[in-house]
C-alpha cells in the first residue's frame, strides 16, 4: 500500500526540471514518539536537508524563475512513524524544512514508491534499503556517521574516482543512464555559482592508482558535465582522514551505489 501526502505549505517544484531527492524519514528524525509538542528530534540527515534547501534558496536568488531545483521527498516504511504521520509532518513544518511530499509505504513496496515519484536519488542510513534500490536501477547512496557532522550551509558531494574509471560489471543500462542524468543535473547546478561562496561543492577522490588515474576520472566527470571543485589522489592511503576533513553529505560512485570503506 502506497500513499502520498502533499505539503501544501510548500510551493511544488516543476516536475519536468526538478531533481527529486528522496530521503528515508528515519534518517531525518530520531525514531520514537515526539515530545509534548509532537515534534521529533533532529536526526543524522537533518543537515543534509538544510543544505539542499540552501542550494534552492541561492538558485532562486540568482533567478526567481529557476526550475532546476531540488525537490525533497520523505519516504517512510517505519510502521510506527506511519501511524504517527501527523508528528512527522508537523516536525517538518516546525523546523522549516521544505519537503514537498511525504510518502508512506510498506518495506515490500517502497521501491515502487520511489519509482512512482520519479526519484533521481534515494538516501538512507539502511544499507539493505540502499542495496535493494541500487539493484533496481534507482540511484542510491548510504548516509553514515560523516553526514551528521556535515555543514548545513553548503551541500558537499563526493565522487569516488576509482568507480568512475572502472565501472562495476553489474551496472545496468538503466542505472548507468540514471547516474549520467543525475550527474549532468548536478553539474548544471554547480555552474550557476561562482568559484567561491558556492552552496554546492563537488569533490573527487581516487583511492587507488596515481596522478593519471585521478586525471582520467576528472576527464570522465567533465564529459558528463561535472567540474570538481577539489580532487584528491590517495594512492592507497586510508580514506578516513580525508573524509573527516571533507565531511561530504554523501558519496557517489559511477553507478552511485553503496561505497564500501
Amino acid at each position: 500500500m502506497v500513499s502520498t501526502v502533499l505539503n501544501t505549505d510548500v510551493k511544488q517544484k516543476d516536475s519536468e526540471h526538478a531533481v527529486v531527492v528522496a530521503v528515508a524519514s528515519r534518517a531525518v528524525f530520531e525514531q520514537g514518539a515526539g515530545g509534548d509538542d509532537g515534534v521529533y528530534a533532529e536526526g543524522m540527515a537533518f543537515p543534509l536537508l538544510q543544505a539542499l534547501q540552501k542550494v534552492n534558496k541561492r538558485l532562486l536568488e540568482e533567478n526567481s524563475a529557476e526550475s532546476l531545483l531540488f525537490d525533497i521527498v520523505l519516504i517512510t516504511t517505519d510502521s510506527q512513524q506511519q501511524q504517527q504521520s501527523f508528528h512527522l509532518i508537523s516536525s517538518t513544518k516546525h523546523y522549516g524544512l521544505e519537503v514537498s511530499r511525504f510518502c508512506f509505504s510498506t518495506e515490500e513496496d517502497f521501491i515502487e514508491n520511489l519509482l512512482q515519484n520519479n526519484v533521481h536519488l534515494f538516501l538512507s542510513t539502511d544499507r539493505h534499503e540502499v542495496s535493494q534500490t541500487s539493484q533496481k536501477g534507482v540511484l542510491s547512496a548510504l548516509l553514515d556517521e560523516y553526514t551528521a557532522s556535515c555543514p548545513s550551509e553548503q551541500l558537499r558531494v563526493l565522487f569516488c574516482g576509482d568507480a568512475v574509471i572502472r565501472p562495476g560489471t553489474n551496472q545496468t543500462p538503466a542505472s548507468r543512464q540514471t547516474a549520467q542524468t543525475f550527474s549532468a543535473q548536478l553539474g548544471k547546478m554547480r555552474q550557476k555559482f561562482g568559484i567561491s561562496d558556492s552552496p554546492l561543492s563537488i569533490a573527487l577522490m581516487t583511492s587507488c592508482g596515481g596522478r593519471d588515474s585521478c586525471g582520467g576520472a576528472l576527464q570522465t566527470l567533465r564529459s558528463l558535465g561535472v567540474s570538481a571543485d577539489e580532487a584528491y589522489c590517495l594512492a592507497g592511503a586510508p580514506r578516513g582522514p580525508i573524509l573527516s576533513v571533507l565531511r561530504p553529505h554523501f558519496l557517489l560512485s559511477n553507478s552511485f551505489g553503496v561505497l564500501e570503506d
Side-chain angles (χ1 to χ4, degrees):
M1 183 68 177
V2 175
S3 64
T4 300
V5 178
L6 292 181
N7 186 354
T8 56
D9 291 343
V10 173
K11 182 179 179 181
Q12 297 298 307
K13 307 298 188 294
D14 186 333
S15 59
E16 292 186 7
H17 300 99
V19 180
V20 183
V21 178
V23 186
S25 62
R26 71 172 70 90
V28 180
F29 299 114
E30 294 289 345
Q31 295 189 45
D36 294 336
D37 55 0
V39 174
Y40 289 122
E42 300 175 13
M44 180 184 294
F46 194 89
L48 165 65
L49 264 66
Q50 290 182 314
L52 291 169
Q53 197 165 308
K54 181 66 174 182
V55 175
N56 282 352
K57 180 181 179 182
R58 287 285 301 278
L59 285 169
L60 290 172
E61 288 175 352
E62 296 289 333
N63 177 13
S64 60
E66 181 63 67
S67 58
L68 182 60
L69 302 167
F70 287 115
D71 191 11
I72 304 171
V73 178
L74 286 193
I75 300 288
T76 300
T77 58
D78 189 301
S79 60
Q80 185 177 11
Q81 285 199 359
Q82 288 185 32
Q83 294 169 6
Q84 301 178 7
S85 58
F86 170 78
H87 295 301
L88 178 63
I89 296 173
S90 62
S91 297
T92 302
K93 295 180 179 180
H94 170 81
Y95 291 114
L97 299 177
E98 294 186 356
V99 173
S100 296
R101 298 182 297 284
F102 304 90
C103 301
F104 303 93
S105 67
T106 63
E107 293 182 357
E108 291 73 25
D109 57 22
F110 87 96
I111 294 180
E112 176 189 347
N113 203 335
L114 297 176
L115 296 174
Q116 287 182 357
N117 283 276
N118 299 314
V119 169
H120 295 93
L121 174 66
F122 172 63
L123 301 167
S124 174
T125 54
D126 188 316
R127 187 177 294 271
H128 178 64
E129 281 186 346
V130 171
S131 177
Q132 277 188 303
T133 53
S134 296
Q135 291 173 8
K136 295 295 183 180
V138 178
L139 211 59
S140 306
L142 184 70
L143 301 176
D144 56 23
E145 66 275 10
Y146 294 106
T147 304
S149 62
C150 290
S152 59
E153 68 275 5
Q154 184 185 54
L155 178 66
R156 297 183 176 181
V157 181
L158 178 62
F159 282 84
C160 177
D162 304 285
V164 169
I165 57 179
R166 291 191 298 274
T169 57
N170 60 344
Q171 189 180 16
T172 66
S175 62
R176 187 180 302 112
Q177 180 60 49
T178 304
Q180 291 177 353
T181 298
F182 180 81
S183 64
Q185 292 170 317
L186 199 66
K188 287 179 181 178
M189 283 185 172
R190 180 62 187 89
Q191 291 171 12
K192 294 178 182 292
F193 304 109
I195 296 177
S196 61
D197 192 33
S198 171
L200 171 60
S201 175
I202 299 175
L204 171 73
M205 178 181 68
T206 55
S207 298
C208 304
R211 185 172 52 187
D212 291 342
S213 295
C214 189
L218 281 171
Q219 290 181 352
T220 300
L221 285 181
R222 287 171 184 157
S223 71
L224 298 174
V226 180
S227 295
D229 295 283
E230 304 173 74
Y232 298 88
C233 175
L234 302 187
R239 301 194 314 176
I242 290 294
L243 291 177
S244 64
V245 173
L246 291 178
R247 293 187 297 164
H249 288 92
F250 52 88
L251 302 95
L252 300 176
S253 68
N254 190 46
S255 57
F256 301 139
V258 183
L259 296 183
E260 301 292 345
D261 293 329

